[in-house]
Every structure is written in C-alpha cells, then in structure tokens.
Amino acid sequence: MIPGKYRSVSGRAANNVNCGLHLVIQTSTLPEKNKTEFRFSRDTSPFPGRLLQHDLERNYSSRQGDGRVISPSPRNKSSFISSTTNVTELYGLDMKTTTSSFSAFGDCSIQTPFKSRLRQGCHSAGPNVSGDHINLVSSSLPSFPILQRSSEEKSLYSDRLTLERQKLTVCPIIDGEEHLRLLNFQHNFITRIQNISNLQSLIFLDLYDNQIEEISGLSTLRSLRVLLLGKNRIKKISNLENLKNLDVLDLHGNQITKIENVNHLCDLRVLNLARNFLSHVDNLHGLDSLTELNLRHNQITFVRDVDNLPCLQRLFLSFNNISSFDSVSCLADSTSLSDITFDGNPLAQESWYKHTVLQNMTQLRQLDMKRVTEEERRVASVVAKKEEEKKRESQKQSLLKEKKRLTINNVARNWDLQQRVSNNAINADRKDCASPPRDSCQLDGSTTSSLPAETGSLDSGLTSALQGLSVTDTHLVEIEGDTLSLYGSGALECLDRNWSLQTAGMVTTISFTFIEFDEIVQVFPKLKIKFPNSLHLKFKETNLVMLQQFNALAQLRRVDQLTVDPQGNPVVNFTLWKYYVLFRLSHFSMQKINGTEVTQNDMIMAERLFGILAHVASSELPQYRMISILGDARRKQFRYLLETKGKKPGIASEENNDSKRVMGENTNRATLNYTTKEWHNEKLEEIKEKKKFCQMYVEDLVKEATDINMKNEALQKLWPQMFIELVRDAVIEIRNKNTYMKVCLQQITDQK
Amino acid sequence: MLSPERLALPDYEYLAQRHVLTYMEDAVCQLLENREDISQYGIARFFTEYFNSVCQGTHILFREFSFIQATPHNRASFLRAFWRCFRTVGKNGDLLTMREYHCLLQLLCPDFPLELTQKAARIVLMDDAMDCLMSFSDFLFAFQIQFYYSEFLDNVAVIYQDLLSGKNPNTVIVPTSSSGQHYQRPALGEAGMLEGVEASLFYQCLENLCDRHKYSCPPPALVKEILSNVQKLTFYGFLVALSKHHGINQALGALPDKGDLMHDPAMDEELDRLLAQVPGLVNATSEASCLPSRTSSRVGSPWRPLHHSRKVDTESDGSTEETDESET
C-alpha cells in the first residue's frame, strides 16, 4: 500500500532487533537450511501434539480442561492441529532438534506471556542477526516492498520466514526464497494475498489477523498443506482448487456464510470455521480425511452431510442455534465421531439432551469436553429403551387406533344401512304419509361428518391408558380410562364376559354408539351387575325416539349423568325430553343431562309437567293392572300395601308414604315402564291367544245365559196361562161333588 | 235393561252392541293374565274393581291400542286421561310438534299408532307444515275428533271424494277404515282445498251415513248446524269445524270446554302436594298457590258420566276422595 509507511515499519524493525523477525535480504543461498530447522520431535516437545497453534483453543481444552474453551481469549480462537498428529506427519519436513527454534516457534503460539518471551527467544536464537540485514528495497515494483534476507538469516532459517506484526498492508515481494516452506504474516494489515505465487514449495502459510477479503493468489502453491486465514474478512470460501494437499485450513473469525468449494480437499484433516456466519452445515462430501471440524460460534440450526465424513472424530458445535436432535440427526450415522460439543446450544438445555445424544451416538467418547462414563451410557440406554418402548407402544396404539377408526367406520356403515332399510320399510308402510320421515338422509350426512371429529377427540386422549379389548369388524368394545365404549350391537355381548373386578369397578361411564336402544335395554340387568359403578350413560346413534324409552333407565342402579347425542336420537329434539328424564329418573337425583347441570327449577318443572301423569298412573290404575305392570320385585311390597290398605285405610296411607320414601323409586313412577317393541309385540301375540279363548269362553257363557234367560222368559210368559188351565181343569173335575167323591173312594179301594 | 232397544234386539246382540261383551271378555282375559295375583285377593274383588275402573274410565291406562279403541267409552276415557295427564304441558304454554304429542300419547298407550296422530295433526296444520308446532288445545280437540270418530271420518273422506269427482256417493259401499285412507290424501291436496263440495248435498250424504253407520257419529243435528252455515266447504274445513264445535265436544263429553281446558283444581291440588315432595324444594308451594283457583265447584273426577258434562256429581266426589286416600 503505502510504501513509506512500510518502510518506516521496517526501519523500526531494523532498529529494534527484538522484533523476532529475521529478514534477511540476501541473494546468497546457504545450504545450511538443515541447521535452522524448526523441529518438533516427539521427545523434546512438552506438548507433542500441539504444534502449530497460533490461536489454539480447542486442543488445550480438549486436553487440559474446558476453561479456555468456554471463555476463549481473543488469541485462543482457532485451533487447527490435531492433538494426535505430530509434526512429522503433518509437514513431512525433515526435522532436527533445535531447542531454540522449537521455543521460538512452538511457544509463540501459546499465550501472550510466552509471546514476549518468544520474541526474546527469537532474538537470542539468531544472535548474529542484526537490523542491518533487513533491507526492504522498492526498486523493481514501486508499490511493493521487496524483501531480502541476509545470507546468515537465510542459512539459519532457510525455509522459514516470519513477518509477524510488521504492519504490512501488502505482501512484500519475496525474492530468492523459492525453497521457503513456512511463511508467517500474522498480525498485519494485509488486504490481499499477493506476490507469493513464486514460493511453490511453501507448505505453511499463516495469514492470521489480517484484513484479507478474498482467498486468492494461492493457485500456484500446490504443495501448501497448512493455510491459516483466521481473523480476516473473508466472505466466501473460494480459489482453493489447486491446493489439493491442504491438510489444515483455518478460516475462523471470518464472515463466511456457507461451506462451499472444499469438496476436493480429500487430504484435509482439520477445518476450522469457528466464528463465522454459517447458518447450517452441508456440502461436506469429499472431505475424506477430515478428522476435526470446528464450527463453534456460528448460527447453525441444522447439520447435514456429516455422515459423509469417514474420518471425522471431533466435531465442535458449541454456541450455535441447534434446538433439536433431529436437526443434527446425521451425526448418529457417523461411525467415526468420538468427540462432540453441543454446549451453548438450545439443545443442551433440554432435559433429554444428554441421554438422547449418548443413545444416538454410542461411539462417542467425549461429550462437551467431558468423558462419557459408563454410567452415563447406561442411563442413556435405559432411557432410550424406555423411549423405544414408548414409541413402540404408541405405534401399537396408533395402529390400534387406526383399526378402531376403521371398525367404527364399518359399524357406522352397517348402522346406516340398517337405518335406511328400516326407514324404507316405514316409508313403504306409509305411502300415504304426507311427510315421510326425512331422517334417513339427514342421518347419512350427520354420520359421515361426525366421524372425523370423533377420531380427533380420541387422538387427544392418547396419554390415558387406552386399552383396546376387542376389535372385530362389526363392533368395537373399548375401555379408555373410566369409560367403556360400545360400538355396534355386537358389542353388547361383551357384557357376558368375565370382567376383572378392578376394571369393572373403574368404569363409571358407559357410552353406546350405533346400537338400537331396544337392544341396549335388554342388557341393562347385566350392566347393573357387571358395572355397578357406572354413573354416566352416553347414547349416540341409538334410535332413541320416544320419551317412554327413558323409562327403561329407571331399572338401573344409579345414573348421575345422562348424555344423549342428538345424532341418531330424534328424541333430543323434543322440548320435553329433559324434563321427562328428570321426572322419570327423579329417584337418581341426576346431576347432569347432556353436560348441563340440573337445577332445582328443572326439577320443579319436570314435576309440574309430569307429576299428574305419575299421580294418575299410581292412584287410578286398578290394582290388578298395577300388579301386572309392576315387576316381580315390586309385587311383594305391593301386596303388603294392599293388605294394609284393606285393613285400615287411614294408617295405611301413612305407611304407604313411608315405604314409598324408603324405596329408591317412587311407586307412582314405577308404573311408567318401557317394553321394547319386540317384547311388546310378543306380549300382544300372547294376549291375542288368550283373547281368543276369552272371546269364545265369554261367548259360550253369554249364549248359555241368554238361552237360559230366554227359556226363563218363555216360562214366565207361559206360566200364568198354565196355571189358569190347571185351575180350570181342577175346577171342572170337582164340579160334580158326588161323582168326584165316588171316583176318589174308588181309587182308594183300588189301592188296597 | 229397560231401555227400548233392549226389546228390539236379541240379548246377545244387545250385549255386543253395548260393548258389554267386550268388557266381559277383557275382564276374563285380565283375570287369566294375572290369575295368581288375583286369586289371592279374590275374584269377586277383581271383577268389582274391573268394572269400577271401567266406569271411572281408568281401565284404559297403559293398555294396548286395540283395547283402547275398542269402544267409544274407552276412546272417551283415553281422551280424558290424556287431557288430565298432560294438561300441565299445555298449561306451561309449550308448543309441541306432532311427534312430541305422539310421544305423550305413547306414554299412556305404548303402541299408539303414529298414523292417528298424524291425521290429527293434519287437521290443525297444513299439509306442507307437518313439522310445525301446535298448541295443546288445538291438538287436543283435533285429536278428539280424529280419534273418537275415526271410522266415521274415514267414511266421510270417501264420500267427500266421491262428491268431488261427481259420483253418487250413495252407491258407494262404505269401506272399512283401513281401506278408506289410501286414496284420501292425494286428491284432496289438489282440488279439494280450492273449492270443496256443496254443503247441503254433503249433509244429505252424511245423514245417510250416520243412519247406517255402526260406529259412533257426531249428532246429526250438530253436523247440520255446522253445514248449514256455509255454502261450500272442504273436507278439512269440515274437520276443523267439527273439532272447534262446542256442542260436539259436549256431546262427546270427554273433555271440558275450551275455556276450561286448563282447569282441573283437584289435580292442581294434587300437583301442589307432589311439588312439595320434590327433594330440596323451597318455594314451589308458594309459586303453585298463585295459580288461579277456580270457584267453580266442578270436581276433576276421574270420570264424569257422559252426556252430563256440566253437572256436579256427588258420586265423583266420592271417587276423588278415594284416590286421594290411596295416594297420600
């Protein structure tokens, strides 16, 4: 940029020799490069794996605890060296043990206090290097400084050049250093990578903390293995096409939004993209050697393609925006991953976080810098097993539910069909009806529309202990919590089954759907015995059409709540139905009808509307009828009533009242009962027979009686005349006294 | 036994015509049905009770339809029972649908046919408004006519139909009720509503019908009265007139006059007593006592003798007491 400035910098650098840079401006090449090796042998280095860490954060933390990871100092930002690799592997440089060089290089990367010392070290390492040897010449290209080193420098550090903190704004032209293998431009103001295309044997290029906006000028550096571009202004990963040997790529602290153009880097082992603007991780295929991927401090919400990295061992996703394990689910498919961090993500706050991760990534050895213990693994697997079971259970349930839905559909269809048939029959019966019942079509519409709603409600009840008990095609029996649901008339047969005492005792709600009410009535006695605690009855699509059908409910033990769905129960359309129910079932003192609290006013209204009916039914019904209407159970008691009534009417009436109160149900209501149509018809049939007989019998009797009467009348009519005739004959006979006496005497003598 | 018809007929026919046989048969039938129970408290007692209940009109409660419609007395008794039991529904001011009324009827007679209710509703409502709501009194009076004179009305329908089509109705063999209905409706809907038939001619035919009709008919004088007021009338016009006619209601004797329809002081008293028994009830009695108490001395007995509809009856007083005793 401005050469003057640069010059002054270099000038200062020349004055202050402790800058740690060895700028040798020399054309002579010394073959002693072997001597000036930076060498990190395994035995000499106290940190064998931690070699070229300019801004390491990860390796320390992974090795020595997480203190530095969680609060990384500005210098500790990037890490790019695998802890297990040693230099030889990394660089393939031949190495010699030179303690000074080690300290000069190795230490400098670690921490500030060391840094200063390192400079000292550098200085002392090259004692014969003086400021005089540094010479920046701006001859050939006016804008770029030309750098040359002294021959001593060169011979000492023949393949290494460090231009750290030189306030460089451009890359100087480095002449005569074609064999340079390591080049360091840390902490400068370089905006563009230039003038290094001639350094074709360069292996290590450090441009940390500059102002580079674009990766460029590297296309000739085919042997480059380490490229450090941390803390720059790079927006895009590009122009790396020729760097096929790249081993370490550090791009931390840039402005990259997307991972791209890296798929050819099949030898890349370390990729650092910490502190960028990545929103997701994708497009990682081809990075076949990648063992470490640092993605800390981005805005990543999901991770993909990680399972395409066969060698990936460490993945750092701390401080991102991952909120569910699903969005990183590909991690579970990676077999090589052994170390992962998720801290600082919403995900890590979840209670299930640890065991979910551990369960899904069994190969993991470290999670969030902590060793995964056996105990943790065990807990995770237990939890996971539980979850698995839950999942299986829910699957089973959903299967069951689906089956149930289908069955209900089927039952509904059958019911529909049945209803239509019966409706048609009715219509056929009443061709003269001006208003044929339109229920059939209404029914169709409502039935189909009702079904989705029904299944929806069932879904919500997933958590409750759903226990499908029997599913067949034509009916469905189900116990869900305290509700026994019966669909289809076949379901009524379940009441014959042996229910466990506990199950039966638990059931307080019984719901009937798609069953003829008349059929339900027949199982009430069984219901009473099998489910003694049932308090709430629900009817839906049960053909409740008449008020008198509610009479049948009176025989149950107890009903607290009644729900009659308007669907398929036309009776609900009547304004009086509720009051009739209240009236007829008053002995239950019901609490709710169709979900509405029963108020006292309702009770009064019910009594007001139907009280007289009950009164008439009880007080005016002839006794012989009363007996026949009341069931056997009541007969005994009624007989007792009769007896007392016969003796002392006054007292009896009081007793009558008392006993009535003692009884659960009012006697006056007991006469209002419901007989199903079939039963009624049967009875009528029976009566017909009797009637026939009675008719004949009475006819005979009456005929006989009238016959006798006629004869009697005839006799009555004849009798006076006969009498007169008799008298007349007698009178005529005794008219002549003498002859008559003679005849009499004659008779007497004859007798003798 | 001393009525003049008594001598005109042989005994058996007389008994049959007076429906005595029906009751005798039914009594025996009932006896047969419940012989174990009845034998315990005496057959004589049973017969007493049976014929008492027939007299009181309570014998039809909860009986099968075939019995309820068997005799005019039964029909009248049923009408009266219906009125007494559900008067409160009407009093409450509820307007109900035909089906709901039907349900109420079925409470008293489980196999009551829907058809009859429909026909009664048709007197009140237009053909296309069968789902409409009706007031209790409208329905009750229409139902009375339809139920009590069911067979007569079927025949009238046939006659009307024949008159409309210009046939001489006298040649028609009077069909039974079941066959008469089938061709009654459609034609009436078309032409009948618009014009109707000549009232005088119609009356002649009806008079003729009443003469030969073995079922109960409305008194011919009252029919004449109805028909003399108009020139022409339709079938339903006639039915409506019948149902609204005060005299016919009186002649039938089952129901009180329309104005008194809601009054039944004895039953109201009973109801008050029942309301007082409703558990947890506080202010029902005071409310109930607000009901207008009639000064009329008419007592809502289970049965007032037919044809003496407006008379106070000492016998019925007694019977009311009896019921009170048994209830309280």
Side-chain angles (χ1 to χ4, degrees):
Chain A
M1 302 224 177
I2 307 160
K5 190 181 175 188
Y6 195 79
R7 232 174 275 127
S8 74
V9 169
S10 58
R12 193 190 58 151
N15 294 335
N16 309 329
V17 195
N18 65 343
C19 64
L21 296 179
H22 315 284
L23 305 181
V24 183
I25 311 164
Q26 237 178 3
T27 39
S28 68
T29 49
L30 283 171
E32 324 160 342
K33 74 174 173 192
N34 292 350
K35 233 198 294 175
T36 67
E37 254 338 318
F38 49 97
R39 165 85 202 279
F40 312 96
S41 77
R42 239 168 264 154
D43 26 292
T44 52
S45 163
F47 308 112
R50 236 182 306 130
L51 299 179
L52 296 156
Q53 295 166 335
H54 293 239
D55 295 276
L56 65 170
E57 59 172 0
R58 188 302 283 140
N59 277 337
Y60 287 120
S61 43
S62 65
R63 301 227 138 201
Q64 302 165 343
D66 48 357
R68 293 171 217 205
V69 181
I70 289 160
S71 57
S73 68
R75 298 186 46 80
N76 273 357
K77 250 177 273 165
S78 67
S79 69
F80 53 91
I81 299 295
S82 136
S83 52
T84 51
T85 351
N86 71 34
V87 199
T88 355
E89 290 162 18
L90 249 179
Y91 303 100
L93 302 174
D94 73 10
M95 296 179 183
K96 275 190 180 172
T97 336
T98 311
T99 351
S100 64
S101 65
F102 165 69
S103 65
F105 189 74
D107 267 359
C108 80
S109 61
I110 302 170
Q111 279 206 351
T112 333
F114 291 107
K115 183 89 181 176
S116 57
R117 221 200 299 150
L118 130 91
R119 288 194 192 137
Q120 296 292 340
C122 276
H123 184 56
S124 60
N128 44 356
V129 179
S130 70
D132 303 338
H133 298 145
I134 297 166
N135 192 7
L136 284 170
V137 185
S138 52
S139 58
S140 58
L141 282 164
S143 52
F144 296 107
I146 298 171
L147 185 141
Q148 280 177 326
R149 287 197 288 187
S150 67
S151 55
E152 301 98 87
E153 280 282 328
K154 241 183 197 171
S155 63
L156 204 56
Y157 310 107
S158 64
D159 51 3
R160 192 174 84 175
L161 177 58
T162 304
L163 290 165
E164 212 176 335
R165 295 182 198 274
Q166 293 303 308
K167 300 202 167 82
L168 297 170
T169 54
V170 290
C171 298
I173 296 169
I174 300 168
D175 224 6
E177 299 272 4
E178 282 75 24
H179 51 274
L180 206 60
R181 306 180 94 182
L182 190 147
L183 182 57
N184 186 345
F185 282 118
Q186 270 194 46
H187 305 294
N188 283 295
F189 304 97
I190 297 165
T191 54
R192 202 176 148 86
I193 307 170
Q194 293 167 308
N195 305 329
I196 53 169
S197 51
N198 55 330
L199 307 173
Q200 289 187 10
S201 47
L202 205 61
I203 288 176
F204 185 107
L205 176 59
D206 187 352
L207 285 158
Y208 173 73
D209 193 15
N210 279 287
Q211 295 173 2
I212 297 162
E213 290 178 356
E214 191 195 8
I215 304 174
S216 61
L218 300 171
S219 54
T220 55
L221 308 178
R222 287 171 192 279
S223 50
L224 196 66
R225 303 198 64 178
V226 179
L227 177 58
L228 308 180
L229 287 164
K231 216 174 167 198
N232 277 289
R233 298 172 183 175
I234 298 163
K235 293 190 169 63
K236 197 170 172 234
I237 306 174
S238 58
N239 298 324
L240 297 172
E241 283 72 24
N242 293 329
L243 308 182
K244 292 213 172 73
N245 293 319
L246 213 54
D247 203 87
V248 175
L249 177 60
D250 179 13
L251 288 164
H252 85 273
N254 281 291
Q255 298 158 20
I256 296 161
T257 56
K258 203 171 146 193
I259 300 176
E260 58 190 339
N261 304 320
V262 292
N263 308 87
H264 58 286
L265 302 172
C266 56
D267 286 335
L268 192 71
R269 292 206 290 181
V270 177
L271 176 59
N272 188 348
L273 285 164
R275 294 189 191 267
N276 275 291
F277 303 145
L278 296 174
S279 63
H280 64 273
V281 179
D282 202 352
N283 197 18
L284 295 172
H285 60 90
L287 297 170
D288 291 340
S289 308
L290 198 69
T291 55
E292 179 175 320
L293 178 58
N294 190 342
L295 296 164
R296 266 180 243 260
H297 291 285
N298 280 286
Q299 288 117 42
I300 294 164
T301 53
F302 64 90
V303 177
R304 277 192 216 135
D305 224 14
V306 170
D307 45 328
N308 287 329
L309 304 172
C311 297
L312 188 73
Q313 292 177 3
R314 288 168 299 280
L315 175 62
F316 307 103
L317 285 163
S318 309
F319 303 100
N320 274 294
N321 205 13
I322 298 162
S323 54
S324 76
F325 191 78
D326 283 344
S327 50
V328 294
S329 58
C330 63
L331 300 182
D333 298 329
S334 166
T335 49
S336 51
L337 209 58
S338 65
D339 190 352
I340 197 161
T341 65
F342 278 120
D343 51 307
N345 280 290
L347 167 91
Q349 307 294 320
E350 305 288 347
S351 56
W352 44 260
Y353 159 66
K354 200 160 190 175
H355 57 78
T356 308
V357 172
L358 288 182
Q359 182 52 35
N360 283 289
M361 305 171 68
T362 45
Q363 72 280 19
L364 224 53
R365 283 188 291 174
Q366 282 203 22
L367 173 62
D368 292 336
M369 301 303 163
K370 278 183 207 151
R371 208 159 175 79
V372 176
T373 65
E374 276 311 306
E375 175 66 15
E376 277 169 340
R377 248 187 249 280
R378 208 177 51 74
V379 168
S381 79
V382 167
V383 169
K385 225 175 264 168
K386 267 186 208 157
E387 233 146 67
E388 185 76 6
E389 258 164 47
K390 222 179 186 176
K391 207 168 154 190
R392 218 176 300 141
E393 183 65 21
S394 84
Q395 233 166 18
K396 213 167 97 191
Q397 279 182 16
S398 61
L399 198 80
L400 216 64
K401 231 185 288 166
E402 179 61 18
K403 206 171 170 190
K404 177 180 158 185
R405 198 183 61 78
L406 289 175
T407 310
I408 290 174
N409 268 338
N410 192 24
V411 173
R413 215 171 18 253
N414 284 346
W415 170 258
D416 238 28
L417 215 69
Q418 188 191 330
Q419 293 304 301
R420 219 170 300 161
V421 166
S422 63
N423 268 333
N424 285 346
I426 290 166
N427 288 346
D429 279 355
R430 303 204 183 117
K431 270 180 187 158
D432 57 326
C433 279
S435 64
R438 279 166 220 136
D439 309 13
S440 62
C441 48
Q442 278 174 3
L443 207 93
D444 293 349
S446 57
T447 318
T448 45
S449 68
S450 76
L451 284 170
E454 197 176 330
T455 47
S457 70
L458 287 170
D459 281 337
S460 64
L462 180 87
T463 44
S464 62
L466 182 133
Q467 194 183 356
L469 287 169
S470 85
V471 185
T472 63
D473 272 345
T474 52
H475 65 269
L476 179 78
V477 182
E478 179 199 59
I479 289 193
E480 189 180 348
D482 59 355
T483 306
L484 171 70
S485 308
L486 307 174
Y487 298 88
S489 61
L492 294 176
E493 283 162 23
C494 78
L495 293 172
D496 293 329
R497 241 185 276 172
N498 286 324
W499 295 84
S500 75
L501 223 71
Q502 199 190 352
T503 316
M506 218 166 60
V507 171
T508 58
T509 304
I510 301 178
S511 124
F512 301 94
T513 315
F514 303 118
I515 312 174
E516 228 22 270
F517 186 78
D518 283 5
E519 289 179 55
I520 300 171
V521 168
Q522 284 158 21
V523 301
F524 276 156
K526 282 185 219 162
L527 202 69
K528 207 160 116 182
I529 297 164
K530 300 265 176 165
F531 295 99
N533 292 341
S534 58
L535 296 173
H536 185 180
L537 294 181
K538 287 182 180 173
F539 297 96
K540 185 173 180 180
E541 299 277 8
T542 52
N543 253 351
L544 263 168
V545 289
M546 293 179 289
L547 296 179
Q548 68 189 95
Q549 286 174 309
F550 289 114
N551 292 348
L553 298 178
Q555 58 176 293
L556 290 169
R557 197 183 299 263
R558 215 178 140 200
V559 179
D560 263 7
Q561 280 194 50
L562 182 70
T563 307
V564 184
D565 198 293
Q567 258 167 44
N569 294 316
V571 77
V572 180
N573 298 327
F574 296 161
T575 48
L576 295 176
W577 81 273
K578 198 168 138 185
Y579 296 117
Y580 188 75
V581 169
L582 280 177
F583 153 74
R584 185 60 189 88
L585 307 179
S586 62
H587 58 290
F588 292 143
S589 25
M590 303 235 292
Q591 325 247 291
K592 274 185 180 177
I593 292 184
N594 271 13
T596 326
E597 283 302 329
V598 172
T599 65
Q600 209 173 64
N601 282 341
D602 289 336
M603 296 294 289
I604 294 169
M605 194 64 188
E607 196 62 33
R608 184 158 286 179
L609 286 174
F610 294 105
I612 287 180
L613 174 68
H615 173 69
V616 167
S618 63
S619 66
E620 294 178 7
L621 203 64
Q623 281 174 17
Y624 67 92
R625 292 274 301 139
M626 193 80 102
I627 291 167
S628 74
I629 287 175
L630 297 178
D632 284 313
R634 305 208 180 283
R635 265 185 210 177
K636 212 171 164 185
Q637 188 180 6
F638 193 76
R639 224 169 272 150
Y640 162 77
L641 293 182
L642 278 181
E643 279 161 24
T644 49
K645 192 179 179 180
K647 282 172 198 162
K648 291 174 193 169
I651 301 162
S653 64
E654 282 168 29
E655 285 172 12
N656 193 345
N657 247 354
D658 287 347
S659 57
K660 207 189 277 173
R661 260 172 223 143
V662 170
M663 263 198 320
E665 189 184 357
N666 269 341
T667 0
N668 61 6
R669 261 143 242 214
T671 47
L672 297 169
N673 49 25
Y674 177 61
T675 54
T676 64
K677 228 174 217 166
E678 280 165 52
W679 201 71
H680 191 83
N681 289 340
E682 254 171 57
K683 210 176 152 195
L684 285 183
E685 212 47 40
E686 209 182 288
I687 287 173
K688 222 188 220 166
E689 284 294 302
K690 279 182 186 157
K691 241 186 188 161
K692 227 184 209 167
F693 167 76
C694 290
Q695 207 172 346
M696 267 160 54
Y697 178 70
V698 168
E699 196 181 306
D700 287 352
L701 272 185
V702 169
K703 273 200 178 136
E704 207 176 310
T706 50
D707 215 30
I708 290 167
N709 189 34
M710 210 169 71
K711 285 173 188 164
N712 195 18
E713 265 176 42
L715 183 69
Q716 291 290 340
K717 235 185 253 167
L718 284 174
W719 177 242
Q721 188 60 36
M722 279 165 68
F723 189 72
I724 288 166
E725 296 280 318
L726 282 173
V727 169
R728 202 187 62 172
D729 285 356
V731 168
I732 288 167
E733 208 178 354
I734 61 169
R735 197 174 51 181
N736 191 336
K737 243 183 220 168
N738 289 335
T739 18
Y740 184 66
M741 279 164 69
K742 255 181 222 164
V743 173
C744 285
L745 279 173
Q746 187 62 44
Q747 275 175 353
I748 293 165
T749 48
D750 283 355
Q751 279 175 2
K752 283 181 179 172
Chain B
M1 280 302 209
L2 295 174
S3 66
E5 296 118 289
R6 160 76 182 81
L7 302 172
L9 282 169
D11 296 335
Y12 187 81
E13 275 80 29
Y14 173 75
L15 290 174
Q17 196 217 10
R18 290 273 136 187
H19 305 292
V20 178
L21 286 182
T22 314
Y23 293 116
M24 283 167 73
E25 277 165 23
D26 187 57
V28 175
C29 208
Q30 293 292 318
L31 179 61
L32 210 59
E33 189 93 328
N34 311 299
R35 54 175 177 265
E36 290 95 7
D37 297 306
I38 289 166
S39 61
Q40 292 205 353
Y41 71 93
I43 288 169
R45 181 75 210 147
F46 162 71
F47 277 112
T48 316
E49 247 180 44
Y50 181 83
F51 287 107
N52 258 340
S53 73
V54 169
C55 283
Q56 289 175 3
T58 57
H59 61 302
I60 42 75
L61 290 169
F62 313 116
R63 289 297 302 272
E64 60 275 9
F65 180 70
S66 58
F67 179 68
I68 284 172
Q69 62 145 19
T71 71
H73 174 68
N74 285 4
R75 293 184 188 196
S77 303
F78 183 75
L79 283 169
R80 191 166 168 77
F82 181 73
W83 167 68
R84 294 177 71 223
C85 289
F86 299 113
R87 184 181 53 92
T88 42
V89 174
K91 202 168 172 178
N92 193 40
D94 285 333
L95 300 178
L96 306 179
T97 60
M98 181 270 290
R99 282 186 182 273
E100 208 157 352
Y101 282 117
H102 181 65
C103 268
L104 296 182
L105 287 168
Q106 280 188 321
L107 286 176
L108 290 179
C109 167
D111 59 344
F112 199 90
L114 181 65
E115 200 179 43
L116 260 181
T117 324
Q118 278 177 332
K119 280 182 172 177
R122 220 167 290 150
I123 298 175
V124 183
L125 303 167
M126 301 298 284
D127 258 355
D128 54 351
M130 285 300 282
D131 294 335
C132 280
L133 300 169
M134 295 173 272
S135 78
F136 183 71
S137 67
D138 281 350
F139 176 77
L140 184 61
F141 284 114
F143 177 70
Q144 169 174 250
I145 295 296
Q146 181 60 54
F147 181 55
Y148 196 83
Y149 297 125
S150 184
E151 293 81 5
F152 172 75
L153 292 186
D154 287 341
N155 287 321
V156 170
V158 176
I159 289 169
Y160 177 82
Q161 207 54 52
D162 288 339
L163 281 178
L164 263 190
S165 57
K167 261 193 276 174
N168 183 4
N170 287 330
T171 60
V172 174
I173 301 156
V174 176
T176 56
S177 57
S178 54
S179 58
Q181 312 148 2
H182 287 288
Y183 47 97
Q184 166 191 346
R185 289 308 305 165
L188 282 176
E190 295 153 18
M193 285 304 177
L194 300 170
E195 41 204 77
V197 294
E198 208 68 49
S200 52
L201 185 62
F202 191 42
Y203 175 64
Q204 276 172 17
C205 298
L206 292 190
E207 198 177 26
N208 198 351
L209 176 70
C210 288
D211 285 346
R212 356 178 228 132
H213 198 41
K214 56 177 172 151
Y215 299 101
S216 32
C217 317
L222 296 174
V223 175
K224 191 176 184 180
E225 191 189 315
I226 292 166
L227 292 174
S228 61
N229 292 337
V230 286
Q231 278 276 305
K232 277 188 145 193
L233 87 170
T234 63
F235 180 66
Y236 278 105
F238 176 63
L239 293 191
V240 170
L242 272 184
S243 69
K244 296 213 162 138
H245 197 273
H246 171 74
I248 285 180
N249 182 36
Q250 266 191 359
L252 217 149
L255 305 176
D257 291 336
K258 192 164 182 176
D260 291 341
L261 201 60
M262 295 310 162
H263 297 298
D264 193 354
M267 275 300 155
D268 280 341
E269 247 172 63
E270 201 56 55
L271 186 59
D272 288 349
R273 211 167 306 158
L274 287 171
L275 282 174
Q277 285 175 14
V278 173
L281 201 66
V282 196
N283 53 353
T285 36
S286 60
E287 206 181 311
S289 60
C290 298
L291 298 168
S293 55
R294 286 265 295 171
T295 46
S296 146
S297 57
R298 197 157 58 81
V299 177
S301 64
W303 184 249
R304 288 176 280 127
L306 294 169
H307 312 296
H308 296 86
S309 52
R310 316 230 62 183
K311 244 198 238 168
V312 181
D313 194 323
T314 45
E315 257 181 53
S316 57
D317 268 332
S319 66
T320 319
E321 274 167 26
E322 218 176 278
T323 55
D324 286 351
E325 273 169 21
S326 63
E327 175 56 31
T328 49

